[in-house]
């Protein structure tokens, strides 16, 4: 559950390349420009409840002058082969795990993942949504507004995108840890890699505790 976003002013384009790519997909999915204008206004209004993100799906409550609606949608998840290929791509270069945990999505990581057959960023036709409102367009303005807010979440933390694609933070770190594998003999390079993954796991847990306002001194 990602908390309700406060009302925003302005119409500035996203600052990161991956958020702009997400926004392009939202614009491709819209029926017309009028829907996009209304959706951007609604997204900035502060009248969208907390967004629940799960593997391949999202849901949120949206309020407007016509009432309170429930909007849900889907994004295709990565299959097992794509998940494995992505984990190998992340593990192929040092610093990629730290970048993801720091809220960055390296462009070369996405390019190398695409070379391995893994498409992370969706296109418009992959953003399916339904709503309890009576609009005949799909996605409706409410769904487009939620998709805009998802773009904000993805910009702040690209792991939200991975979660939508079926790979949560915990699963990613666990798979990376498993990918490192046990070493039967002392190996300085392997030890460094093991230490890096352990640090990544501790960092992820610390972020969760910090978000909950709980102490995490025991992780240090």
């Amino acid at each position: 559950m990602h908390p309700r976003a406060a009302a925003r002013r302005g119409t500035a384009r996203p600052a990161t390349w991956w958020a702009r790519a997400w926004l392009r997909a939202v614009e491709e999915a819209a029926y017309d420009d009028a829907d996009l204008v209304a959706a951007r206004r609604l997204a900035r209004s502060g009248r969208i409840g907390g967004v629940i993100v799960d593997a391949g799906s999202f849901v949120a409550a949206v309020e407007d002058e016509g009432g309170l609606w429930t909007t849900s949608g889907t994004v295709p998840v990565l299959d097992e082969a794509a998940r494995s290929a992505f984990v190998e791509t992340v593990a192929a270069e040092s610093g990629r795990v730290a970048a993801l945990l720091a809220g960055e999505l390296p462009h070369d990581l996405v390019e190398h993942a695409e070379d391995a057959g893994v498409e992370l960023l969706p296109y418009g036709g992959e953003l399916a949504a339904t709503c309890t409102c009576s609009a005949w367009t799909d996605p409706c303005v409410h769904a487009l507004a939620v998709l805009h807010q998802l773009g904000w979440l993805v910009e702040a933390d690209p792991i939200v995108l991975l979660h939508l694609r079926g790979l949560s933070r915990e699963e990613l770190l666990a798979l990376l840890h498993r990918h490192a594998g046990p070493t039967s003999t002392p190996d300085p390079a392997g030890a460094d890699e093991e230490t890096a993954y352990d640090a990544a796991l501790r960092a992820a847990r610390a972020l969760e505790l910090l978000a909950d306002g709980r102490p995490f001194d025991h992780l240090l």
Side-chain angles (χ1 to χ4, degrees), residues 35-162:
D35 282 356
L36 280 173
V37 171
R40 284 193 290 266
R41 186 183 304 115
L42 182 57
R44 298 193 304 269
S45 69
R47 292 186 292 176
I48 297 178
V51 182
I52 300 174
V53 173
D54 205 347
S57 67
F58 61 89
V59 63
V62 183
E63 183 181 12
D64 66 4
E65 294 76 7
L68 183 63
W69 318 104
T70 300
T71 296
S72 59
T74 59
V75 179
V77 298
L78 303 178
D79 60 24
E80 195 63 34
R83 285 159 55 96
S84 297
F86 180 73
V87 168
E88 290 180 4
T89 303
V90 174
E93 291 189 15
S94 62
R96 285 178 171 174
V97 177
L100 287 170
L101 291 175
E104 296 290 330
L105 185 59
H107 200 281
D108 65 333
L109 169 59
V110 175
E111 288 182 333
H112 293 168
E114 289 178 352
D115 291 342
V118 182
E119 296 287 342
L120 284 182
L121 290 159
Y123 58 87
E126 291 184 311
L127 301 178
T130 59
C131 185
T132 55
C133 73
S134 59
W136 59 270
T137 55
D138 180 16
C140 66
V141 170
H142 307 114
L144 289 171
V146 175
L147 286 168
H148 271 86
Q149 286 208 358
L150 274 173
W152 303 346
L153 296 175
V154 168
E155 179 165 40
D157 183 4
I159 291 182
V160 174
L161 172 62
L162 298 182

Side-chain angles (χ1 to χ4, degrees), residues 176-217:
L176 285 167
H177 189 78
R178 193 180 309 160
H179 183 273
T183 55
S184 56
T185 58
D187 179 0
D192 289 344
E193 187 174 278
E194 185 75 13
T195 299
Y197 285 124
D198 180 69
L201 289 168
R202 289 173 178 269
R205 181 57 178 156
L207 289 172
E208 293 174 359
L209 294 174
L210 183 61
D212 293 339
R214 289 182 286 168
F216 52 87
D217 294 345

